[in-house]
Amino acid sequence: MSEINHIVIVGGGSAGWLTAGVLAAEHRTRAGATLRISLLESPNVGPIGVGEGTWPTMRDTLSSVGVTETDFIRECDASFKQGSKFQQWVTQREDDCYFHPFVLPQGYTETNLVAGWLERHADVPFADLVSFQPHLCAQGKAPKQAATPEYAAVANYAYHLDAGKFGLFLRKHCIENLGVQHVVDHVVGVNTHDNGDIASLKTGQNGDIAGDLFVDCTGMQSLLLGQHYGVPFNSQKHVLFNDTALAMQVPYQNDDSPIASQTISTAQRNGWIWDIGLPTRRGVGHVYSSAHTSDDAAQHELHSYIERTGGPKDMPSPRKLTFNPGYRDKFWHRNCVAIGLSAGFIEPLEASAIALVELSAAMLRDQMPATRAAMDIVARRFNDSFTYRWERVIDFLKLHYVLTKRTDSDFWRDNCRAESIPDRLQEQLLLWRHQPPSRYDFHRVEEVFPSASYQYVLYGMGFRPEGPPVSRRTDDADRADGYFREAAALTSKMLAALPTNRALIGHIKRHGLSKI
Ligand SMILES: Cc1cc2nc3c(=O)[nH]c(=O)nc-3n(C[C@H](O)[C@H](O)[C@H](O)COP(=O)(O)OP(=O)(O)OC[C@H]3O[C@@H](n4cnc5c(N)ncnc54)[C@H](O)[C@@H]3O)c2cc1C
């Protein structure tokens, strides 16, 4: 029945510092709190330093941690992200593109918009008809005005950020304002209790560091959960083939070049290229399958993309990162919970990794077991939630590949092979031939991707239902038309009222945002 008084987080990347911040901020506001939080990071192993795209959840996370949006934007070279734009994923043609915006379609829960779209407006891209956000992105608009308070939105948004600066920003806040104890040392071993729980960590310089709960944020090496406990790794390479990335930082042509309001993801012969606009530079990288292409060929495609999109001709060699796509069989074992890359990683196609960190840290905060006896129950629930979430991330990412009409390489052909498609996704695709994705397909309280996201990708990729949807009402098209008009009116209003991303970032740098 021993109490949980000391939490030891190992790892000082985004996962470690976000978890420390989320736990410490809550602990400080709790009456009679006795919880101590220490974060241990190695001086020899740096954080991965990539991961520039986030989800709108980050606004709540940062606000709960107690940092201001102004400081965050200034110190992390952050900009606003309103979704993703996918280019050449379907046909490879120059004009082949679709949006996955962050706002739900107008009137989404009220009527069957898909029926109305197909009946009367089938020539308009689905996202352009049901949402104002793709139009804001197309014009490089910010998701709020200079007078909109911190973290508040006119249009739902997340951020693009510099991962290295983000870690340092969180570290400073956690140490100076939240009382997190910071130990810079390398963990060289693990001491266990008789029951197998971790008692303490052996360090190079600071002796043994004891704790009641250990959070493994050690990145891909998964020091505690993977290496010490040997929790098996559930590889997903047979579903999502990408396992290598080449990353670069690309300068803008000039200081006032527009900052893109969305992540631009352009499909290549054997993978895809991300393009993320920060205030001072772009982050560009090629993610690809090493089984389908060589590093040289991938680098050549990356360099030619950079040149085509206005970058310099003579870029240095990119940084290469390799990963094994997949996740652990479980994430919480005995008194050890893995958060971040130590729990798993799948290609960054929808930037879900940091979002899973936020969800993990929030569940740990909200469900913090008071005693060791309660811990196994919480651990079971945690494992159930996150196994479900990883499975849904995989389904959703795979959806981006299975509807392609590209046949220019084995990569795209292999992606469409039935045996590479998870059963549940296959089943849903069958159902969606007759009815649109809905809340009946995704009914958990905190789904990682709502049914609206599936609609955006499905119809963006050219998927069309067969015949009239089964749930159709006779007045669906009329009702939907009302919402399409609403979306169009909002588009005009917002285009006129919102500054550009670049202008708003400039304003924040000079004057800051008003407090809530
Ligand atoms: C190519 C690529 C692109 C990505 N893009 C995105 C994206 O757009 N959006 C997104 O959400 N995510 C993205 N990610 C994932 C994102 O980078 C990570 O999820 C995030 O940075 C968290 O990493 P981490 O903290 O788990 O691990 P790391 O940053 O690797 O940190 C590991 C920490 O563990 C410490 N450590 C290791 N061993 C020891 C030891 N023995 N003793 C003490 N300390 C130790 C290290 O010192 C380090 O501080 C991307 C990942 C890759 C590979």
Side-chain angles (χ1 to χ4, degrees), residues 335-355:
N335 64 337
C336 169
V337 54
I339 296 182
L341 297 173
S342 57
F345 180 66
I346 310 277
E347 59 172 280
L349 184 57
E350 286 278 0
S352 49
I354 295 175

Side-chain angles (χ1 to χ4, degrees), residues 11-15 42 45 47-48 50-51 53 186-187 217-218 221 341 345 348 353-354:
S14 306
S42 171
V45 189
I48 192 159
V50 285
H186 196 76
V187 173
C217 296
T218 59
Q221 58 174 298
L341 297 173
F345 180 66
I354 295 175

Side-chain angles (χ1 to χ4, degrees), residues 10-17 39-55 81 163 185-188 216-221 223 244-247 274 276 287 321-323 339-348 350-357:
V10 193
S14 306
W17 286 114
L39 187 144
L40 189 54
E41 71 175 310
S42 171
N44 317 330
V45 189
I48 192 159
V50 285
E52 300 186 325
T54 62
W55 283 10
K81 168 181 176 181
D185 209 338
H186 196 76
V187 173
V188 292
D216 183 347
C217 296
T218 59
M220 288 185 199
Q221 58 174 298
L223 190 70
T244 313
L246 299 177
W274 79 76
I276 283 178
V287 191
L321 300 118
T322 56
F323 54 89
I339 296 182
L341 297 173
S342 57
F345 180 66
I346 310 277
E347 59 172 280
E350 286 278 0
S352 49
I354 295 175
L356 286 178
V357 168

